[in-house]
Amino acid sequence: MTLNDTQAAIRDMVRNFAQAEIRPHSTSFERNGGYPPALFQRMAELGLMGMTAPVEFGGAAADYTSYALALIEIAAADGALSTITSIQNSLIVSSLIKDGTSAQQARFLPDLMAGRMIGAFALTEADAGSDAAALRTRAEKIDGGYRLNGAKQFITSGRIAGLAIVYAVTDPAAGKRGISAFLVPTDRPGYGIDKLEHKLGQGASDTCAIRFEDLFIEDELRLGAEGLGYGIALSNLEAGRIGIAAQSVGMARAALEVAISYAKERKSFGQPIIQHQAVGFRLADLATRLEAALQLVLSAASLKDAGASCLTQASMAKLFASETAEAVVSGAMQTLGGYGYLEEFGLAKIYRDVRVCQIYEGTSDIQRLVIARSL
């Protein structure tokens, strides 16, 4: 796919920013378990907290291809930060623009777009991950609003978020048509962090178990009509899966660049190891698979830009890119031998960070199910 001038300019701008201001600090972000608030605000200045949002809402009005390219560059510098950026754009800001009232948009979008507020997407529960219709969190209708009770699991940014979009059952007898969405400010009484999860990777992005105990939500903070929450959640899957696929490509590219650079410099038997067929062919295969993943991402994004349905293509991109990424990072580590296993070369961190891309926003098994249903 050939990029237009605007897309190439956005890619280059984000690459320069990410390599200069994010990548040098990635290890310390992981060690500290988070990011300085000023970094989010700096990203917002560059339009990265509302990339596809219209200008009238304070967004950058970029197309989805540019959005994917930007996520690739952020992920190439820091995988965990690209996760927060993806959720902020595809699940929080997009939901407010598509389904929020003008009052809701005016209340939350300025802070979200400016990076002063981070959003959390609270759908998954301990017994309801891929099967979102099995939610147990309840929103009981009371005078003036709803009483929210229940628990959520694996919620990205649950600790640092100022706003959570929470999905809860309002009509238990209606199945998935009885789920509604709510805009929940996290400073409300009744919002609590049960546990900050200790994960294999992406340590700078907090992942939490959240509990709601008699949390009152007024009627005007329901997102969309009652009973439409399941549809609101699913409507963002295309962009969300394109985002995770883009992340995968970015992290894998960073690892491959380390391996290629090392293979050009490291000498064995009198020549750079990249000239040994065993190494050169491995890198050639990894580069080919990574290019195929990139093109799947850009193809799905271009369909999204054209207004076409692309759920199958987004699922294909996520499936192939996330599984390819793990293989590429593993191959990069193998190229460095023992050095690839050391933290100081950076591949170990990327390996930890990239593995979850096959799990969140729909596991690889779910992607195969979606693709199979379309055949």
Side-chain angles (χ1 to χ4, degrees), residues 238-269:
E238 290 179 348
R241 289 173 179 172
I242 291 169
I244 303 306
Q247 280 188 272
S248 303
V249 169
M251 284 185 267
R253 192 194 77 199
L256 186 58
E257 288 172 350
V258 171
I260 292 172
S261 177
Y262 179 86
K264 289 178 178 180
E265 296 176 3
R266 174 76 160 90
K267 288 186 177 181
S268 177
F269 302 102

Side-chain angles (χ1 to χ4, degrees), residues 130-202:
S130 299
D131 182 11
L135 297 183
R136 294 184 179 179
T137 298
R138 297 288 186 264
E140 176 190 1
K141 188 72 181 76
I142 58 176
D143 186 34
Y146 297 82
R147 182 183 294 115
L148 191 64
N149 283 284
K152 296 293 181 179
Q153 181 70 15
F154 304 131
I155 307 305
T156 299
S157 301
R159 177 173 59 89
I160 67 169
L163 173 71
I165 299 182
V166 179
Y167 294 84
V169 176
T170 48
D171 183 357
K176 63 184 180 183
R177 294 180 176 83
I179 297 172
S180 301
F182 299 90
L183 299 169
V184 178
T186 61
D187 58 358
R188 289 287 174 94
Y191 181 97
I193 305 298
D194 267 358
K195 182 182 179 183
L196 180 63
E197 303 292 355
H198 298 284
K199 304 171 294 183
L200 172 67
Q202 299 206 15

